[in-house]
Amino acid sequence: MTTDRPTAINPDPRISMGEGSLDAQSSTPSADPLPATQIHQMLQQQWGDALLRRLHGIGRIAANLGTPAYLVGGCVRDFLQNHPMPDIDLAIEGDVRAVAEACSAELSGAQCTYHPHFGTAILRYPDGFQLDLARCRIEHYPAPAALPEVQPAAIQADLIRRDFTINAMAISLDPEKFGEFLDPYGGRTDLQRRLLRVLHPHSFLDDPTRILRGLRFAVRFQLQLEASTRGLLEEALTQNIFARLSGARLWRELKYLLELTDLPAALEELGAWQLWPLLRPTPLEVEPLLAKIRRGQQEIHWFHRHFPDEKLCDAAVLLTILWRDIPWAAEKRLHYWPVTDGRYILNDLHRLSEIPAALAKASHPSAVAQLWESLSLPGILALLAEYPETDTITKSGRYYLLKQRGLTSPLNGKDLQAMGLAPGPQLGKVLRHLHDARLDGTIKDKETARQWLIRQGILPSIQP
Ligand code: ATP
Ligand code: MG
């Protein structure tokens, strides 16, 4: 089903016409008015004078160009909740590039980067502070879950293309009415009542990623699905709407979900919203799985604390834990999702069960290290998550990561060739043995390595 094209007078025909339309405002009594002077005062208290001056500057420049500017979306929501300084998004009713370039020219030190493909710009200040600018627009979805066609629009129309009422509020930066609060769909009241409400009945069908965005907001801000929005979610799931979404778009949303600090709460909510099948078949016992996820998050934090410069795909660790008992379901999903390190996950899932018994049998440190080496980094951390922090397996895995994995042979290929060994596969084997000997503590430097090679009969006892 396609949507009617909105008009300037009626930004979205579904809102106020026809049966089943969702008039967000009429179903919720509005909160006390929030006059511009009060917003101004609150902005000053929460965001400080320096930022306020910057916002005044941008508002003035935008007005001079005849292109009003607004604070919009998540930053207004977070501001109303007095949350720590959010990322700041500005909506511009006109030429974004012109506004960003004029700001860059007129405001001391601000640098502008314009992205023509998206029609967005970033303003960066010398102290590292940055603002995102986007053009007010309206979106038309040619088919359910398709990418939208976009047209420039005014702020009122721009607000209705958004996902939830709590994200459809704006604050004017225009010098004539700086601080004027725009809340046409009752977002502030919903925020006070902790309700998550879409702006029109077709919202989840147009863009099912909103369902997962909503789930994240519900967890982050302790929101409940408003009753008709819950009905719309159920309807969208009945229509199997996620089957229409590309693997890349679905994975992007799920990855954000897996990155939530309160992931166990998010997974519980996933169950309540009947969305487990997106990630995996519904587990028979959710609690033990959530406990492993909590342990997995501990191991991820441990890793980042000890190796702050090393890359780790946290989501790959969590997926390995989530798919531990169901490699077949993992295979199906990895076929469609562009998971970083995804190619290792299946190998790990097949190997994980063997490792603990093999570790117990390993007689030398080098044998232990080889077992850990047979897993990817996410696989190692996923295995550690199955044991308490004090368990010998956890200690062994952490020791491997901290000490063993960084150990190298004191002699490299060039050294060995200088000693008369011919290049080729045999040389590779010798290097491997030297590496094992280093792990086992048999050698520690070039000299002990050379003596070890002589004892092994690899080098003659009298060298030229
Ligand atoms: P966060 O704190 O996670 O950044 P946010 O609300 O700022 O929350 P963004 O992804 O940064 O989320 O998006 C900024 C705004 O753009 C949202 O507040 C919302 O108004 C709008 N938006 C983003 N994605 C969608 C979408 N899929 N459908 C409709 N509106 C969207
Ligand atoms: Mg944001």
Side-chain angles (χ1 to χ4, degrees):
M1 182 177 153
T2 55
T3 57
D4 292 337
R5 201 168 277 282
T7 64
I9 298 168
N10 182 18
D12 189 323
R14 292 165 306 201
I15 271 286
S16 52
M17 296 192 285
E19 288 159 1
S21 70
L22 257 194
D23 185 339
Q25 246 184 338
S26 67
S27 56
T28 331
S30 54
D32 301 336
L34 204 44
T37 46
Q38 196 178 338
I39 294 255
H40 195 274
Q41 215 175 25
M42 286 163 65
L43 282 171
Q44 196 167 25
Q45 277 165 4
Q46 289 185 42
W47 292 359
D49 284 327
L51 175 52
L52 205 56
R53 269 196 302 277
R54 285 174 178 172
L55 295 177
H56 273 293
I58 296 169
R60 177 178 44 77
I61 290 168
N64 286 344
L65 291 168
T67 58
Y70 301 86
L71 290 168
V72 75
C75 70
V76 177
R77 173 199 72 218
D78 291 352
F79 161 70
L80 290 177
Q81 298 188 97
N82 198 0
H83 283 177
M85 175 68 82
D87 294 339
I88 295 195
D89 290 317
L90 300 183
I92 308 290
E93 268 184 357
D95 188 344
V96 168
R97 181 181 208 156
V99 173
E101 286 178 353
C103 287
S104 193
E106 292 181 40
L107 303 174
S108 57
Q111 295 285 327
C112 141
T113 316
Y114 180 67
H115 300 288
H117 184 68
F118 300 107
T120 57
I122 300 179
L123 262 188
R124 288 191 180 84
Y125 290 80
D127 57 3
F129 183 77
Q130 71 175 52
L131 293 151
D132 290 333
L133 281 69
R135 180 162 195 156
C136 292
R137 60 183 189 267
I138 190 140
E139 292 170 347
H140 166 72
Y141 290 82
L147 289 171
E149 291 162 5
V150 173
Q151 281 181 338
I155 187 70
Q156 294 287 344
D158 178 272
L159 291 179
I160 198 155
R161 71 160 174 95
R162 292 176 183 264
D163 47 3
F164 299 100
T165 59
I166 59 164
N167 291 338
M169 299 179 277
I171 294 173
S172 170
L173 301 183
D174 195 284
E176 301 276 299
K177 44 188 178 179
F178 190 97
E180 187 180 84
F181 183 48
L182 283 77
D183 181 16
Y185 309 109
R188 185 164 156 247
T189 307
D190 281 344
L191 206 50
Q192 286 168 347
R193 296 181 160 201
R194 317 241 55 89
L195 287 177
L196 196 61
R197 184 195 307 265
V198 288
L199 295 173
H200 57 81
H202 216 259
S203 185
F204 290 148
L205 298 176
D206 281 347
D207 180 358
T209 67
R210 290 173 186 160
I211 296 175
L212 289 166
R213 287 177 59 81
L215 191 117
R216 294 204 306 274
F217 293 128
V219 172
R220 282 169 61 194
F221 307 127
Q222 287 90 48
L223 307 174
Q224 301 287 326
L225 274 174
E226 174 273 337
S228 41
T229 299
R230 176 170 286 283
L232 295 170
L233 166 66
E234 283 159 13
E235 191 189 317
L237 295 183
T238 308
Q239 294 197 27
N240 201 11
I241 191 67
F242 281 106
R244 290 173 167 266
L245 200 60
S246 72
R249 287 179 72 199
L250 177 58
W251 168 238
R252 198 180 60 167
E253 296 303 323
L254 288 171
K255 184 166 181 288
Y256 289 143
L257 188 86
L258 293 174
E259 285 166 356
L260 287 179
T261 317
D262 205 352
L263 176 59
L267 294 178
E268 277 186 49
E269 203 70 343
L270 202 74
W273 290 33
Q274 311 293 325
L275 294 176
W276 263 116
L278 289 180
L279 260 186
R280 53 159 290 153
T282 312
L284 289 176
E285 289 187 89
V286 176
E287 258 320 306
L289 183 61
L290 297 186
K292 275 189 209 156
I293 289 288
R294 279 189 207 99
R295 271 289 294 124
Q297 289 183 308
Q298 270 181 343
E299 287 305 313
I300 291 170
H301 288 147
W302 176 88
F303 184 84
H304 287 306
R305 214 173 46 247
H306 287 85
F307 303 97
D309 299 327
E310 197 172 332
K311 275 205 177 116
L312 166 72
C313 176
D314 299 3
V317 181
L318 298 162
L319 285 180
T320 309
I321 295 171
L322 280 165
W323 291 338
R324 176 76 157 87
D325 55 330
I326 45 163
W328 51 273
E331 195 163 357
K332 213 167 139 202
R333 285 162 176 79
L334 284 172
H335 188 66
Y336 296 107
W337 300 356
V339 181
T340 316
D341 287 348
R343 65 188 184 284
Y344 302 120
I345 292 181
L346 277 183
N347 173 56
D348 289 342
L349 287 173
H350 290 300
R351 287 209 33 79
L352 282 175
S353 315
E354 303 160 17
I355 302 284
L359 281 172
K361 279 197 215 138
S363 50
H364 290 84
S366 57
V368 170
Q370 273 168 29
L371 286 167
W372 287 118
E373 234 171 59
S374 70
L375 297 174
S376 74
L377 180 55
I380 293 174
L381 297 175
L383 183 58
L384 303 192
E386 295 183 16
Y387 299 88
E389 274 190 281
T390 50
D391 194 277
T392 48
I393 291 200
T394 313
K395 285 184 186 159
S396 165
R398 288 184 175 184
Y399 182 75
Y400 166 75
L401 292 172
L402 286 170
K403 302 279 186 205
Q404 293 181 308
R405 142 183 108 117
L407 278 187
T408 51
S409 158
L411 296 173
N412 60 27
K414 268 193 186 157
D415 296 329
L416 292 180
Q417 286 180 55
M419 290 172 170
L421 294 189
Q426 191 57 28
L427 189 80
K429 263 195 194 162
V430 173
L431 278 171
R432 181 80 227 174
H433 287 316
L434 279 169
H435 184 241
D436 287 350
R438 177 79 183 96
L439 284 164
D440 293 335
T442 321
I443 61 173
K444 55 182 191 303
D445 51 24
K446 282 189 193 296
E447 183 47 31
T448 50
R450 200 182 61 81
Q451 285 165 11
W452 184 83
L453 288 170
I454 293 170
R455 281 203 305 282
Q456 302 297 311
I458 296 169
L459 288 181
S461 51
I462 301 170
Q463 285 207 274

